[in-house]
Amino acid sequence: DAKTTQPNSMESNEEEPVHLPCNHSTISGTDYIHWYRQLPSQGPEYVIHGLTSNVNNRMASLAIAEDRKSSTLILHRATLRDAAVYYCMTRMYSGGGADGLTFGKGTHLIIQP
Amino acid sequence: DSGVTQTPKHLITATGQRVTLRCSPRSGDLSVYWYQQSLDQGLQFLIQYYNGEERAKGNILERFSAQQFPDLHSELNLSSLELGDSALYFCASSTRVFSTDTQYFGPGTRLTVL
């Protein structure tokens, strides 16, 4: 799994879009990009994952750079409930050898009302 | 609610003791993972079980062990406890063992070793 780099913290205002960046310059061709988040006093929660194309789901969008060396998690309209630590990680595709997730320090997202 | 349950929610014990943490995965999930979250080490993967068999080991100490039972629930046993074992312990489950499978995390067990 490639090493990822994220800002320690970011601040945004409620109901505004938030763009959370992640660098993964050593990513290999079969590595997927995953995002999880951890709300205060809760276990981590899956947000989104992708390989090459941009991905959308009900929680967020994932924009992946053409060279795949970076990606951005987009929360289209942040609410106070989105305040959490967001973790970006890469995972080599495996059909039978997958193991635990490797969490870095993540980005602490602060939402101002 | 992820569908993963963990008991107990809190556990306070003394150094040298042994405790057992329990996890019930989401209905239908065959894979169970254990993680430890401490202030200085962050979230770390400990061990994974799939359908009753150990699949992968992370940074798990020899004093710690786990198992997954036929009904797929899992237990993490921590023995000869030290002050440094105080942490949040999370269990997660996934359907299979593909690396793209989403892992669903439980609410955690907070262990305090005095």
Side-chain angles (χ1 to χ4, degrees):
Chain A
D1 299 341
K3 182 174 162 53
T4 60
T5 305
Q6 299 177 253
N8 288 334
S9 66
M10 288 185 67
E11 202 165 308
S12 183
N13 294 319
E14 201 176 7
E15 299 195 5
E16 287 186 359
V18 178
H19 290 235
L20 296 164
C22 180
N23 286 320
H24 27 78
S25 57
T26 60
I27 194 169
S28 73
T30 54
D31 285 355
Y32 279 76
I33 300 153
H34 293 250
W35 285 80
Y36 280 73
R37 72 179 185 180
Q38 187 172 20
L39 281 66
S41 304
Q42 293 189 29
E45 150 183 69
Y46 168 79
V47 178
I48 201 166
H49 77 276
L51 183 62
T52 55
S53 309
N54 294 344
V55 184
N56 301 297
N57 66 21
R58 63 172 181 82
M59 285 180 71
S61 295
L62 176 61
I64 301 172
E66 203 168 319
D67 63 4
R68 300 202 335 117
K69 293 184 187 301
S70 66
S71 61
T72 302
L73 180 70
I74 302 165
L75 307 179
H76 294 286
R77 239 175 126 222
T79 69
L80 295 177
R81 288 185 299 176
D82 291 319
V85 179
Y86 286 78
Y87 298 97
C88 164
M89 60 195 80
T90 65
R91 301 263 285 166
M92 186 177 70
Y93 176 75
S94 170
D99 55 19
L101 299 169
T102 301
F103 289 88
K105 295 195 183 303
T107 295
H108 184 198
L109 177 63
I110 300 162
I111 304 294
Q112 298 288 359
Chain B
D1 184 358
S2 67
V4 177
T5 60
Q6 290 187 248
T7 55
K9 199 165 180 173
H10 301 278
L11 200 47
I12 301 174
T13 188
T15 54
Q17 295 298 304
R18 172 189 167 95
V19 297
T20 297
L21 313 184
R22 183 188 166 104
C23 167
S24 292
R26 287 187 329 149
S27 176
D29 282 0
L30 299 178
S31 200
V32 169
Y33 309 77
W34 285 97
Y35 292 83
Q36 179 193 58
Q37 185 169 34
S38 60
L39 280 173
D40 54 344
Q41 297 288 328
L43 256 166
Q44 292 206 73
F45 165 64
L46 295 178
I47 196 164
Q48 176 200 10
Y49 277 80
Y50 175 73
N51 207 18
E53 307 249 337
E54 183 185 300
R55 286 293 297 224
K57 267 186 172 177
N59 299 322
I60 189 165
L61 299 172
E62 282 192 17
R63 301 183 285 109
F64 296 1
S65 65
Q67 52 185 324
Q68 186 179 28
F69 295 86
D71 67 353
L72 300 176
H73 91 270
S74 177
E75 292 180 356
L76 179 67
N77 300 298
L78 315 175
S79 62
S80 302
L81 285 168
E82 302 175 0
L83 294 177
D85 298 327
S86 295
L88 263 169
Y89 291 84
F90 290 105
C91 162
S93 72
S94 67
T95 311
R96 304 159 302 176
V97 288
F98 287 86
S99 59
T100 49
D101 288 353
T102 297
Q103 291 189 21
Y104 296 89
F105 285 76
T109 293
R110 181 174 293 280
L111 174 66
T112 303
V113 182
L114 301 174

